[in-house]
Amino acid sequence: MMWGNGSMGWVWGFGLMALVGVAILVYIVIRLSTKNGQSGPSSPAVPASPDLTSARKILDERFARGELTPEQYREQIRVLAEGR
């Protein structure tokens, strides 16, 4: 038996598209809300200042390029913090 003139398929299609749209919106909201708190190699707790020293900037760049291991990076940050 056919329901109406065959429009029931469209209703299911629109419902499915609405569900996918809501899922995408939820995903985008979650990504945007956790963008600042991205997980990755955590650096040691060093007081953040608006103007990082040039030595710290160089360390950050070397670590970002992969020239330093996480252990070397943490150790050098610790040494810099002790020198203050």
Side-chain angles (χ1 to χ4, degrees):
M1 176 175 198
M2 186 175 265
W3 293 75
N5 59 0
S7 64
M8 193 62 163
W10 285 104
V11 172
W12 282 100
F14 285 128
L16 183 61
M17 285 192 313
L19 185 61
V20 169
V22 169
I24 289 172
L25 285 175
V26 168
Y27 173 77
I28 290 171
V29 168
I30 290 172
R31 287 287 286 185
L32 290 176
S33 67
T34 60
K35 190 170 190 170
N36 293 335
Q38 289 180 348
S39 62
S42 59
S43 61
V46 176
S49 63
D51 53 332
L52 290 173
T53 64
S54 62
R56 174 66 191 264
K57 288 180 184 179
I58 292 169
L59 277 177
D60 290 344
E61 291 171 3
R62 289 185 64 203
F63 182 67
R65 286 192 300 261
E67 296 175 6
L68 297 173
T69 65
E71 293 79 26
Q72 291 171 326
Y73 176 75
R74 287 186 200 109
E75 174 63 23
Q76 291 186 15
I77 293 293
R78 186 186 61 77
V79 169
L80 280 176
E82 288 175 356
R84 289 185 182 188

